[in-house]
Amino acid sequence: DQQLAKYHFQLQVGTSITGCFSAAASLCVLCLPFAARGPVRSEQYTLVAVLASFNLVEALTMALGRVFVPGQHEKDQLEDERPSATCVSQGFIMQFASMAGFLWILFFCFKLTTLAHSNSRCDLLV
């Protein structure tokens, strides 16, 4: 039981550290326009910045970890205890950000594909 608790603690610390690094990387991408020269309000940067925003939200909720789980440090916690509203909110935000990032990548791929087809002479192959 103590070995399992130690394993869960190590897993949570690793997840929180990974979330912090991911959030820092997303913040760097979002802060690029302040340090860059040239056209920073391009359509390509906007596509990447929106994806970085979704990743930032997901990383922050991952870094928080089990903070909102009720009674996580109590030994006599009931098995059928319902999660708190903040725990449910954190889970919803994490899932929404993950799914929104995935859908944004699909849009990103569609946009790049249409751009590639409009700039190429694919009609010469037919």
Side-chain angles (χ1 to χ4, degrees), residues 105-115:
I105 289 172
L106 288 178
F107 174 75
F108 191 95
C109 291
F110 174 74
K111 185 76 173 167
L112 290 177
T113 303
T114 56
L115 182 66

Side-chain angles (χ1 to χ4, degrees), residues 78-100:
L78 298 175
E79 290 294 324
D80 59 349
E81 184 177 340
R82 297 186 63 150
S84 66
T86 52
C87 180
V88 172
S89 299
Q90 179 188 9
F92 175 79
I93 291 169
M94 183 184 286
Q95 293 301 317
F96 173 78
S98 177
M99 183 57 72

Side-chain angles (χ1 to χ4, degrees), residues 9-126:
F9 175 74
Q10 291 171 344
L11 187 63
Q12 181 56 50
V13 168
T15 303
S16 294
I17 290 172
T18 304
C20 289
F21 281 135
S22 182
S26 296
L27 279 175
C28 287
V29 170
L30 291 173
C31 291
L32 270 176
F34 300 112
R37 295 182 189 157
V40 293
R41 299 285 180 219
S42 66
E43 185 177 3
Q44 292 84 0
Y45 175 75
T46 304
L47 289 171
V48 173
V50 171
L51 182 59
S53 299
F54 289 137
N55 188 28
L56 177 65
V57 171
E58 184 180 6
L60 290 175
T61 56
M62 185 181 294
L64 284 174
R66 297 175 47 96
V67 171
F68 298 120
V69 176
Q72 66 177 344
H73 301 294
E74 299 173 10
K75 291 193 177 211
D76 57 347
Q77 178 184 3
L78 298 175
E79 290 294 324
D80 59 349
E81 184 177 340
R82 297 186 63 150
S84 66
T86 52
C87 180
V88 172
S89 299
Q90 179 188 9
F92 175 79
I93 291 169
M94 183 184 286
Q95 293 301 317
F96 173 78
S98 177
M99 183 57 72
F102 175 74
L103 292 175
W104 192 254
I105 289 172
L106 288 178
F107 174 75
F108 191 95
C109 291
F110 174 74
K111 185 76 173 167
L112 290 177
T113 303
T114 56
L115 182 66
H117 284 295
S118 68
N119 290 338
S120 66
R121 294 295 311 256
C122 293
D123 57 335
L124 295 176
L125 299 174
V126 179

